[in-house]
Short mmCIF file of all heavy atoms in Angstrom, two decimals:
data_model
loop_
_atom_site.label_atom_id
_atom_site.label_comp_id
_atom_site.label_asym_id
_atom_site.label_seq_id
_atom_site.Cartn_x
_atom_site.Cartn_y
_atom_site.Cartn_z
N ALA A 1 80.22 98.11 98.72
CA ALA A 1 79.74 97.27 97.68
C ALA A 1 79.52 98.10 96.36
O ALA A 1 79.14 99.27 96.43
CB ALA A 1 78.46 96.61 98.11
N PHE A 2 79.80 97.47 95.26
CA PHE A 2 79.33 97.93 93.92
C PHE A 2 78.06 97.20 93.51
O PHE A 2 77.98 95.97 93.63
CB PHE A 2 80.36 97.67 92.94
CG PHE A 2 81.57 98.56 92.87
CD1 PHE A 2 82.70 98.08 92.26
CD2 PHE A 2 81.47 99.84 93.38
CE1 PHE A 2 83.86 98.88 92.24
CE2 PHE A 2 82.61 100.67 93.38
CZ PHE A 2 83.76 100.23 92.79
N LEU A 3 76.94 97.94 93.23
CA LEU A 3 75.77 97.40 92.59
C LEU A 3 75.69 97.89 91.24
O LEU A 3 75.47 99.09 91.00
CB LEU A 3 74.54 97.85 93.44
CG LEU A 3 74.20 97.25 94.75
CD1 LEU A 3 75.36 97.62 95.77
CD2 LEU A 3 72.90 97.66 95.27
N MET A 4 76.00 97.06 90.23
CA MET A 4 76.20 97.48 88.85
C MET A 4 75.17 96.87 87.90
O MET A 4 74.88 95.71 87.91
CB MET A 4 77.64 97.06 88.39
CG MET A 4 78.74 97.47 89.43
SD MET A 4 80.36 96.99 88.90
CE MET A 4 80.70 97.98 87.51
N GLY A 5 74.68 97.81 87.09
CA GLY A 5 73.70 97.36 86.05
C GLY A 5 73.89 98.05 84.78
O GLY A 5 74.31 99.19 84.70
N GLY A 6 73.59 97.34 83.60
CA GLY A 6 73.72 97.94 82.33
C GLY A 6 72.52 97.61 81.50
O GLY A 6 72.09 96.43 81.46
N GLY A 7 72.06 98.53 80.75
CA GLY A 7 70.91 98.23 79.84
C GLY A 7 69.72 97.84 80.59
O GLY A 7 69.33 98.37 81.62
N ILE A 8 69.13 96.71 80.10
CA ILE A 8 67.92 96.21 80.74
C ILE A 8 68.34 95.40 82.02
O ILE A 8 67.50 94.78 82.76
CB ILE A 8 67.02 95.35 79.80
CG1 ILE A 8 65.55 95.34 80.21
CG2 ILE A 8 67.61 93.98 79.63
CD1 ILE A 8 64.98 96.73 80.26
N GLY A 9 69.65 95.32 82.32
CA GLY A 9 70.08 94.81 83.58
C GLY A 9 70.09 95.72 84.65
O GLY A 9 70.49 95.46 85.86
N VAL A 10 69.66 96.98 84.39
CA VAL A 10 69.59 98.04 85.37
C VAL A 10 68.42 97.76 86.39
O VAL A 10 68.60 97.92 87.66
CB VAL A 10 69.42 99.44 84.78
CG1 VAL A 10 68.99 100.49 85.77
CG2 VAL A 10 70.71 99.83 84.07
N PRO A 11 67.17 97.43 85.93
CA PRO A 11 66.06 97.37 86.89
C PRO A 11 66.22 96.39 88.04
O PRO A 11 65.82 96.76 89.13
CB PRO A 11 64.91 96.82 85.93
CG PRO A 11 65.23 97.42 84.60
CD PRO A 11 66.80 97.35 84.48
N PRO A 12 66.85 95.21 87.89
CA PRO A 12 67.02 94.30 89.02
C PRO A 12 67.81 94.85 90.19
O PRO A 12 67.76 94.45 91.29
CB PRO A 12 67.66 93.05 88.46
CG PRO A 12 67.38 93.11 87.01
CD PRO A 12 67.31 94.58 86.62
N ILE A 13 68.70 95.88 89.83
CA ILE A 13 69.53 96.51 90.81
C ILE A 13 68.81 97.32 91.76
O ILE A 13 69.21 97.48 92.92
CB ILE A 13 70.64 97.32 90.10
CG1 ILE A 13 71.47 96.42 89.13
CG2 ILE A 13 71.57 98.00 91.12
CD1 ILE A 13 72.14 95.29 89.88
N LEU A 14 67.56 97.77 91.42
CA LEU A 14 66.77 98.68 92.36
C LEU A 14 66.39 97.95 93.56
O LEU A 14 66.59 98.46 94.69
CB LEU A 14 65.59 99.23 91.61
CG LEU A 14 64.71 100.18 92.40
CD1 LEU A 14 65.53 101.35 93.04
CD2 LEU A 14 63.48 100.74 91.63
N GLU A 15 65.71 96.84 93.51
CA GLU A 15 65.29 96.07 94.72
C GLU A 15 66.50 95.63 95.54
O GLU A 15 66.46 95.64 96.74
CB GLU A 15 64.44 94.90 94.34
CG GLU A 15 63.81 94.23 95.56
CD GLU A 15 62.90 95.07 96.42
OE1 GLU A 15 62.26 96.02 95.78
OE2 GLU A 15 62.76 94.87 97.58
N LEU A 16 67.62 95.29 94.85
CA LEU A 16 68.84 94.94 95.55
C LEU A 16 69.36 96.10 96.40
O LEU A 16 69.69 95.96 97.52
CB LEU A 16 69.91 94.45 94.58
CG LEU A 16 71.26 94.16 95.04
CD1 LEU A 16 71.20 92.96 95.96
CD2 LEU A 16 72.23 93.90 93.88
N ALA A 17 69.28 97.26 95.76
CA ALA A 17 69.75 98.50 96.46
C ALA A 17 68.80 98.79 97.71
O ALA A 17 69.26 99.25 98.78
CB ALA A 17 69.74 99.67 95.56
N LYS A 18 67.53 98.55 97.52
CA LYS A 18 66.57 98.81 98.59
C LYS A 18 66.76 97.90 99.78
O LYS A 18 66.62 98.28 100.94
CB LYS A 18 65.18 98.68 98.05
CG LYS A 18 64.77 99.86 97.09
CD LYS A 18 63.35 99.60 96.47
CE LYS A 18 62.27 99.69 97.48
NZ LYS A 18 60.95 99.57 96.81
N GLN A 19 67.11 96.59 99.48
CA GLN A 19 67.19 95.59 100.59
C GLN A 19 68.63 95.46 101.21
O GLN A 19 68.74 95.07 102.28
CB GLN A 19 66.69 94.29 100.11
CG GLN A 19 65.22 94.29 99.80
CD GLN A 19 64.71 92.85 99.77
OE1 GLN A 19 65.20 91.94 100.41
NE2 GLN A 19 63.72 92.64 98.92
N MET A 20 69.69 95.93 100.44
CA MET A 20 71.03 95.64 100.91
C MET A 20 71.44 96.59 102.06
O MET A 20 71.07 97.77 102.03
CB MET A 20 72.04 95.89 99.77
CG MET A 20 73.48 95.62 100.08
SD MET A 20 74.62 95.84 98.70
CE MET A 20 74.15 94.27 97.82
N GLN A 21 72.02 96.01 103.05
CA GLN A 21 72.64 96.79 104.10
C GLN A 21 74.20 96.56 104.14
O GLN A 21 74.61 95.37 104.29
CB GLN A 21 72.01 96.39 105.53
CG GLN A 21 70.51 96.67 105.52
CD GLN A 21 69.87 96.11 106.94
OE1 GLN A 21 70.66 95.68 107.77
NE2 GLN A 21 68.60 96.36 107.13
N CYS A 22 74.88 97.59 103.88
CA CYS A 22 76.35 97.47 103.90
C CYS A 22 76.98 98.76 104.40
O CYS A 22 76.30 99.76 104.55
CB CYS A 22 76.85 97.12 102.44
SG CYS A 22 76.32 98.31 101.25
N GLU A 23 78.31 98.81 104.44
CA GLU A 23 79.05 99.96 104.95
C GLU A 23 78.86 101.13 103.90
O GLU A 23 78.66 102.29 104.32
CB GLU A 23 80.50 99.65 105.07
CG GLU A 23 81.36 100.86 105.52
CD GLU A 23 82.79 100.51 105.65
OE1 GLU A 23 83.14 99.37 106.02
OE2 GLU A 23 83.58 101.43 105.34
N GLU A 24 79.05 100.82 102.58
CA GLU A 24 78.90 101.90 101.56
C GLU A 24 78.28 101.21 100.34
O GLU A 24 78.83 100.28 99.83
CB GLU A 24 80.23 102.42 101.22
CG GLU A 24 80.22 103.65 100.25
CD GLU A 24 81.59 104.30 100.10
OE1 GLU A 24 82.56 103.94 100.77
OE2 GLU A 24 81.65 105.16 99.21
N LYS A 25 77.22 101.83 99.93
CA LYS A 25 76.38 101.22 98.78
C LYS A 25 76.66 102.19 97.54
O LYS A 25 76.14 103.33 97.46
CB LYS A 25 74.97 101.26 99.16
CG LYS A 25 74.05 100.40 98.27
CD LYS A 25 72.59 100.55 98.69
CE LYS A 25 72.36 100.19 100.15
NZ LYS A 25 71.00 100.40 100.48
N GLN A 26 77.43 101.75 96.65
CA GLN A 26 77.81 102.46 95.47
C GLN A 26 77.06 101.87 94.23
O GLN A 26 77.37 100.73 93.74
CB GLN A 26 79.23 102.39 95.14
CG GLN A 26 80.06 102.99 96.41
CD GLN A 26 81.54 102.66 96.32
OE1 GLN A 26 82.31 103.48 95.92
NE2 GLN A 26 81.91 101.50 96.66
N ILE A 27 76.01 102.62 93.71
CA ILE A 27 75.26 102.08 92.62
C ILE A 27 75.87 102.65 91.30
O ILE A 27 75.96 103.89 91.12
CB ILE A 27 73.82 102.53 92.71
CG1 ILE A 27 73.25 102.03 94.11
CG2 ILE A 27 72.97 102.09 91.59
CD1 ILE A 27 71.88 102.64 94.43
N VAL A 28 76.34 101.73 90.40
CA VAL A 28 76.96 102.13 89.18
C VAL A 28 76.19 101.57 87.97
O VAL A 28 76.15 100.38 87.81
CB VAL A 28 78.42 101.74 89.07
CG1 VAL A 28 79.04 102.33 87.88
CG2 VAL A 28 79.10 102.00 90.35
N VAL A 29 75.39 102.43 87.25
CA VAL A 29 74.51 101.94 86.20
C VAL A 29 74.84 102.62 84.94
O VAL A 29 75.18 103.85 84.87
CB VAL A 29 73.05 102.18 86.61
CG1 VAL A 29 72.61 101.20 87.68
CG2 VAL A 29 72.76 103.59 87.04
N GLY A 30 74.68 101.85 83.86
CA GLY A 30 74.97 102.40 82.51
C GLY A 30 73.72 102.40 81.59
O GLY A 30 72.94 101.49 81.56
N TYR A 31 73.67 103.49 80.82
CA TYR A 31 72.55 103.69 79.88
C TYR A 31 73.06 103.95 78.49
O TYR A 31 74.21 104.37 78.37
CB TYR A 31 71.64 104.82 80.32
CG TYR A 31 71.01 104.71 81.71
CD1 TYR A 31 71.66 105.10 82.86
CD2 TYR A 31 69.73 104.04 81.86
CE1 TYR A 31 71.07 105.00 84.16
CE2 TYR A 31 69.16 103.90 83.16
CZ TYR A 31 69.82 104.47 84.25
OH TYR A 31 69.30 104.29 85.48
N ARG A 32 72.16 103.93 77.53
CA ARG A 32 72.61 104.28 76.15
C ARG A 32 72.72 105.74 75.98
O ARG A 32 73.63 106.32 75.42
CB ARG A 32 71.52 103.72 75.15
CG ARG A 32 71.50 102.32 74.99
CD ARG A 32 70.31 101.93 74.08
NE ARG A 32 70.31 100.42 73.79
CZ ARG A 32 69.36 99.80 73.20
NH1 ARG A 32 68.38 100.51 72.63
NH2 ARG A 32 69.32 98.42 73.07
N ASP A 33 71.69 106.53 76.59
CA ASP A 33 71.65 107.91 76.42
C ASP A 33 71.08 108.63 77.63
O ASP A 33 71.12 108.03 78.74
CB ASP A 33 70.87 108.27 75.17
CG ASP A 33 69.52 107.60 75.12
OD1 ASP A 33 68.86 107.45 76.27
OD2 ASP A 33 69.03 107.15 74.07
N SER A 34 70.48 109.78 77.46
CA SER A 34 69.97 110.58 78.59
C SER A 34 68.71 110.06 79.26
O SER A 34 68.28 110.60 80.22
CB SER A 34 69.81 112.06 78.18
OG SER A 34 68.83 112.11 77.11
N HIS A 35 68.15 109.02 78.65
CA HIS A 35 66.87 108.42 79.28
C HIS A 35 67.36 107.50 80.41
O HIS A 35 67.33 106.28 80.25
CB HIS A 35 66.10 107.67 78.20
CG HIS A 35 65.52 108.60 77.14
ND1 HIS A 35 66.13 108.76 75.92
CD2 HIS A 35 64.46 109.44 77.19
CE1 HIS A 35 65.44 109.59 75.14
NE2 HIS A 35 64.45 110.04 75.95
N THR A 36 67.61 108.12 81.57
CA THR A 36 68.12 107.34 82.71
C THR A 36 66.96 106.98 83.59
O THR A 36 66.80 107.58 84.70
CB THR A 36 69.19 108.18 83.46
OG1 THR A 36 68.60 109.48 83.77
CG2 THR A 36 70.44 108.48 82.63
N PHE A 37 66.23 106.04 83.12
CA PHE A 37 65.03 105.52 83.93
C PHE A 37 65.45 104.96 85.30
O PHE A 37 66.51 104.40 85.42
CB PHE A 37 64.29 104.50 83.14
CG PHE A 37 65.08 103.32 82.66
CD1 PHE A 37 65.15 102.13 83.32
CD2 PHE A 37 65.69 103.40 81.43
CE1 PHE A 37 65.87 101.04 82.92
CE2 PHE A 37 66.48 102.30 80.94
CZ PHE A 37 66.54 101.12 81.63
N LEU A 38 64.65 105.19 86.22
CA LEU A 38 64.75 104.79 87.62
C LEU A 38 65.82 105.61 88.39
O LEU A 38 66.13 105.31 89.52
CB LEU A 38 65.17 103.29 87.76
CG LEU A 38 64.19 102.30 87.11
CD1 LEU A 38 64.75 100.89 87.21
CD2 LEU A 38 62.79 102.37 87.75
N ARG A 39 66.33 106.64 87.78
CA ARG A 39 67.44 107.43 88.37
C ARG A 39 67.06 107.97 89.80
O ARG A 39 67.86 107.82 90.77
CB ARG A 39 67.78 108.58 87.49
CG ARG A 39 68.91 109.48 88.07
CD ARG A 39 69.27 110.52 87.06
NE ARG A 39 70.34 111.38 87.51
CZ ARG A 39 71.01 112.33 86.85
NH1 ARG A 39 70.65 112.54 85.56
NH2 ARG A 39 71.93 113.17 87.43
N GLU A 40 65.90 108.57 89.93
CA GLU A 40 65.47 109.17 91.19
C GLU A 40 65.47 108.10 92.33
O GLU A 40 65.86 108.31 93.40
CB GLU A 40 64.27 109.90 91.09
CG GLU A 40 64.28 111.14 90.21
CD GLU A 40 62.93 111.84 90.17
OE1 GLU A 40 61.90 111.44 90.81
OE2 GLU A 40 62.86 112.89 89.45
N GLN A 41 64.92 106.99 91.97
CA GLN A 41 64.83 105.90 93.06
C GLN A 41 66.20 105.31 93.42
O GLN A 41 66.48 105.01 94.58
CB GLN A 41 63.95 104.77 92.51
CG GLN A 41 62.47 105.18 92.54
CD GLN A 41 61.59 104.11 91.91
OE1 GLN A 41 61.51 103.94 90.72
NE2 GLN A 41 60.95 103.32 92.76
N PHE A 42 67.10 105.30 92.47
CA PHE A 42 68.47 104.92 92.79
C PHE A 42 69.17 105.87 93.72
O PHE A 42 69.80 105.55 94.63
CB PHE A 42 69.34 104.76 91.50
CG PHE A 42 69.10 103.41 90.76
CD1 PHE A 42 68.82 103.47 89.45
CD2 PHE A 42 69.27 102.22 91.44
CE1 PHE A 42 68.65 102.22 88.78
CE2 PHE A 42 69.06 100.98 90.82
CZ PHE A 42 68.74 101.01 89.52
N GLU A 43 68.90 107.11 93.42
CA GLU A 43 69.49 108.20 94.27
C GLU A 43 69.05 108.17 95.67
O GLU A 43 69.73 108.56 96.64
CB GLU A 43 69.22 109.61 93.65
CG GLU A 43 69.94 109.86 92.32
CD GLU A 43 69.53 111.16 91.66
OE1 GLU A 43 68.42 111.56 91.94
OE2 GLU A 43 70.36 111.65 90.94
N GLU A 44 67.86 107.66 95.90
CA GLU A 44 67.27 107.50 97.23
C GLU A 44 67.82 106.31 97.99
O GLU A 44 67.64 106.19 99.22
CB GLU A 44 65.76 107.37 97.13
CG GLU A 44 65.02 108.60 96.58
CD GLU A 44 63.55 108.36 96.33
OE1 GLU A 44 63.14 107.15 96.46
OE2 GLU A 44 62.87 109.24 95.91
N ASN A 45 68.47 105.42 97.30
CA ASN A 45 68.94 104.14 97.93
C ASN A 45 70.40 103.88 97.86
O ASN A 45 70.90 102.84 98.14
CB ASN A 45 68.26 103.01 97.26
CG ASN A 45 66.74 102.96 97.63
OD1 ASN A 45 66.37 102.49 98.68
ND2 ASN A 45 65.92 103.46 96.73
N GLY A 46 71.23 104.97 97.68
CA GLY A 46 72.69 104.76 97.61
C GLY A 46 73.37 105.91 96.99
O GLY A 46 72.73 106.86 96.47
N SER A 47 74.67 105.86 96.80
CA SER A 47 75.48 106.79 96.02
C SER A 47 75.48 106.35 94.60
O SER A 47 75.94 105.31 94.22
CB SER A 47 76.89 106.88 96.54
OG SER A 47 76.93 107.19 97.91
#
């Protein structure tokens, strides 16, 4: 699975990543710059 978020569409992807069970969880998120909020929690819940 691709779990994809961009801008302020990034936050809803976190709970999705926490609850989803699949063969391979690939989290792909886009930001404006180096302020990659929620990054550590995403890393804990998928690639």
Side-chain angles (χ1 to χ4, degrees):
F2 282 157
L3 286 65
M4 306 177 72
I8 208 59
V10 168
I13 300 301
L14 179 54
E15 186 63 31
L16 176 64
K18 291 174 66 175
Q19 292 199 30
M20 180 179 287
Q21 296 180 0
C22 59
E23 179 184 323
E24 186 176 352
K25 196 183 305 178
Q26 302 167 101
I27 303 168
V28 189
V29 287
Y31 301 90
R32 291 176 177 173
D33 49 37
S34 60
H35 293 101
T36 53
F37 55 92
L38 304 176
R39 177 176 180 172
E40 292 183 0
Q41 287 176 281
F42 279 128
E43 290 174 336
E44 295 170 355
N45 289 281
S47 300

